[in-house]
Amino acid sequence: MMHSLMTQGITTKSEAMFLAWRNVKLAEQLKQGVVEFTFVKIDGSIRHAVGTLRTDLIPETKRTAERKNAGYNEKCLTYFDIEKADWRCSKRINLCY
């Protein structure tokens, strides 16, 4: 795992821990309400997102059983994008916050 982090520019354990903590905080905030955050897309562009994991803020037609564990993947953060009104995901390592 540390090798893959190093290829992303994270070279120390403290940087990795800092990134992990930011991801934990973001997941908790998404469960509580709407959150604005930023991440780097695969093509290198910056994406500003407004998302949530709070069920009552997600349209009933978009609530599905497979999204029950959204936000808990080891490598990707899945969230409901408020602006796009659909599910999106981001690699956790690309989080800018």
Side-chain angles (χ1 to χ4, degrees):
M1 177 72 168
M2 194 63 183
H3 175 70
S4 67
L5 291 175
M6 291 174 72
T7 62
Q8 298 291 329
I10 296 175
T11 57
T12 66
K13 286 184 181 180
S14 64
E15 288 174 336
M17 292 297 292
F18 181 71
L19 178 63
W21 181 245
R22 285 194 319 192
N23 274 284
V24 167
K25 279 180 53 178
L26 177 58
E28 287 300 315
Q29 290 173 335
L30 286 166
K31 286 191 286 185
Q32 294 174 7
V34 176
V35 181
E36 293 183 35
F37 58 100
T38 305
F39 60 90
V40 180
K41 292 173 55 173
I42 292 174
D43 67 4
S45 62
I46 302 294
R47 165 86 159 89
H48 301 284
V50 180
T52 190
L53 290 176
R54 203 168 116 184
T55 307
D56 64 326
L57 298 176
I58 300 170
E60 196 168 326
T61 57
K62 297 290 183 172
R63 296 181 211 160
T64 59
E66 65 266 13
R67 300 294 183 184
K68 180 171 63 172
N69 293 322
Y72 297 103
N73 183 301
E74 182 180 313
K75 295 182 181 181
C76 293
L77 172 68
T78 302
Y79 63 95
F80 187 80
D81 190 311
I82 298 295
E83 295 172 329
K84 303 289 185 183
D86 209 353
W87 291 96
R88 299 283 186 254
C89 66
S90 167
K91 289 185 177 180
R92 290 184 180 277
I93 198 157
N94 292 341
L95 179 64
C96 300
Y97 213 170

